């Protein structure tokens, strides 16, 4: 079961990675070096909710301007909801893209590949630090799946070529997979998924400053199960987490689960499934949560190809 779970986990990273590793992949052409100026959220973004966070989510809708006939996944927005990063895979290879809009209610436009970051291999699951200067991602090549990052000196600049994130990734050829990164607002805590213990589980690691290395990762035991568990998004106040899990589907597909805790130093309560967002025969896994916990972005193949969706809690 562990080997099956790892194989399914590679699919959860967004692409047919196992095929890519076996046959080799080439990159996309015609990229530019995009990357707009981003909003810079801080701890104050953990604002009072503008919705009832105890209520179920409403009806999901596709994110306008992002989805195509290709697989579009892993949408992540800036705090002002005017910039989105996501991955697109028109073939076996996936690349990172960025798009912008003038108002949160508008469709996204000017979809642009991140040419300075993308390689001949696959990049997915982008998330940008709160200061807008570091882009985290999952990366796959012939040796496996790792978490990489890219930096820039200011929010109007372009991101650098990607680098491997020290300590988080396991070493060696065909090593354990590390993917689905999520970074805290202060940049000192990272959550991610790894199959280093046999199953795909959620791990976390901390560091003392943004220039320090992360410490040895530890499993978030209260969130993990005998199924696959995949990191999604933690609320800005650290009190609610959303993630994907195949615990109820015998590894067949992912549903969205969430858990709460009283303070960021406490363990999470037992996770529960968001039944209003779960389709027994389709994948759903969360990738972004608004700072007030009212809006949740997720990836799903409920309409055929994988698309980026968003859903809101009632006011």
């Amino acid at each position: 079961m562990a080997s099956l779970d790892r194989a399914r986990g590679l699919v959860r990273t967004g692409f047919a990675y196992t095929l890519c590793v076996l046959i080799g992949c080439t990159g996309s052409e015609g990229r530019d070096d995009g990357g707009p100026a981003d909003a810079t959220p801080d701890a104050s973004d953990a604002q009072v909710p503008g919705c009832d966070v105890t209520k179920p989510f409403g009806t999901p809708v596709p994110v306008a301007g992002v989805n195509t006939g290709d697989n579009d996944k892993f949408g992540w927005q800036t705090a002002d909801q005017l910039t989105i990063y996501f991955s697109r895979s028109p073939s076996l290879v996936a690349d990172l893209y960025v798009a912008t809009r003038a108002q949160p209610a508008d469709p996204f436009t000017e979809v642009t590949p991140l040419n300075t970051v993308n390689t001949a291999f696959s990049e997915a699951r982008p998330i940008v630090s709160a200061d807008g200067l570091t882009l985290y991602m999952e990366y796959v090549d012939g040796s496996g799946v790792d978490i990489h990052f890219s930096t820039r000196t200011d929010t109007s600049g372009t991101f650098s070529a990607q680098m491997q994130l020290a300590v988080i990734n396991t070493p060696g050829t065909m090593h354990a997979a590390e993917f689905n990164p999520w970074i805290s607002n202060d940049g000192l805590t990272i959550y991610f998924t790894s199959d280093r213990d046999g199953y795909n589980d959620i791990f976390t690691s901390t560091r003392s400053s943004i220039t320090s290395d992360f410490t040895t990762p530890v499993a978030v035991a209260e969130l993990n199960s005998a199924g696959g568990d995949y990191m999604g998004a933690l609320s800005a106040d650290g009190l609610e987490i959303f993630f994907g899990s195949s615990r109820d589907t015998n590894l067949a597909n992912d549903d969205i689960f969430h858990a709460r805790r009283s303070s960021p130093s406490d363990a999470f309560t037992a996770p529960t499934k968001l039944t209003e967002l779960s389709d027994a025969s389709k994948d759903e896994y969360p990738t972004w949560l608004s700072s007030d916990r009212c809006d949740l972005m997720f990836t799903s193949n409920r309409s055929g190809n994988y698309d980026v969706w968003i859903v809101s809690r009632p006011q």
Side-chain angles (χ1 to χ4, degrees):
M1 182 176 288
S3 61
L4 174 61
D5 188 45
R6 179 174 183 184
R8 294 196 61 82
L10 297 182
V11 175
R12 297 304 189 279
T13 63
F15 322 99
Y17 280 147
T18 49
L19 288 176
C20 188
V21 169
L22 288 172
I23 69 174
C25 299
T26 57
S28 301
E29 300 298 326
R31 301 175 177 132
D32 65 22
D33 58 355
D38 294 332
T40 305
D42 55 29
S44 64
D45 291 317
Q47 56 193 246
V48 176
C51 62
D52 188 340
V53 298
T54 68
K55 297 294 186 181
F57 284 96
T59 302
V61 295
V63 175
V66 170
N67 299 310
T68 64
D70 300 320
N71 288 318
D72 301 291
K73 301 183 177 184
F74 303 106
W76 182 89
Q77 293 188 118
T78 51
D80 60 9
Q81 301 188 32
L82 301 183
T83 301
I84 188 171
Y85 292 84
F86 65 100
S87 65
R88 176 175 292 167
S89 51
S91 64
L92 292 177
V93 176
D95 286 325
L96 301 183
Y97 287 76
V98 64
T100 59
R101 58 187 176 187
Q103 300 292 333
D106 294 343
F108 283 103
T109 60
E110 300 181 13
V111 176
T112 306
L114 293 178
N115 284 340
T116 56
V117 177
N118 294 325
T119 68
F121 294 99
S122 285
E123 292 81 24
R125 187 51 160 100
I127 179 171
V128 179
S129 60
D131 62 11
L133 301 181
T134 306
L135 169 68
Y136 295 88
M137 73 203 81
E138 57 191 40
Y139 168 79
V140 58
D141 61 11
S143 65
V145 188
D146 289 319
I147 295 174
H148 284 203
F149 71 102
S150 175
T151 61
R152 59 185 177 184
T153 56
D154 61 77
T155 56
S156 63
T158 59
F159 285 107
S160 66
Q162 59 181 271
M163 300 164 280
Q164 187 166 153
L165 188 60
V167 180
I168 297 301
N169 300 310
T170 50
T173 302
M174 297 307 294
H175 52 267
E178 282 81 31
F179 53 102
N180 289 174
W182 179 91
I183 192 74
S184 62
N185 272 6
D186 61 11
L188 302 183
T189 302
I190 189 170
Y191 285 78
F192 63 97
T193 299
S194 177
D195 66 352
R196 63 185 63 194
D197 290 341
Y199 291 94
N200 287 309
D201 286 329
I202 297 171
F203 285 76
T204 190
S205 176
T206 60
R207 59 185 176 184
S208 58
S209 72
I210 59 173
T211 59
S212 302
D213 286 340
F214 284 100
T215 57
T216 301
V218 295
V220 187
E222 67 270 24
L223 299 181
N224 296 321
S225 68
D229 301 293
Y230 308 94
M231 183 53 203
L234 184 68
S235 62
D237 60 12
L239 301 185
E240 187 173 20
I241 193 169
F242 294 82
F243 64 99
S245 180
S246 58
R247 66 187 66 193
D248 283 358
T249 64
N250 194 28
L251 306 180
N253 56 270
D254 290 331
D255 293 321
I256 298 175
F257 284 72
H258 75 140
R260 293 189 171 101
R261 58 187 177 186
S262 299
S263 76
S265 60
D266 291 336
F268 289 101
T269 57
T272 57
K273 182 163 64 177
L274 296 179
T275 55
E276 71 271 23
L277 300 182
S278 299
D279 185 318
S281 63
K282 302 296 183 181
D283 279 326
E284 288 90 19
Y285 40 93
T287 58
W288 174 86
L289 179 68
S290 63
S291 55
D292 61 4
R293 295 191 283 165
C294 293
D295 302 312
L296 180 69
M297 191 169 285
F298 66 98
T299 297
S300 179
N301 61 344
R302 58 178 58 197
S303 293
N305 292 326
Y306 284 94
D307 289 322
V308 181
W309 295 73
I310 194 164
V311 65
S312 299
R313 281 168 161 153
Q315 299 295 315

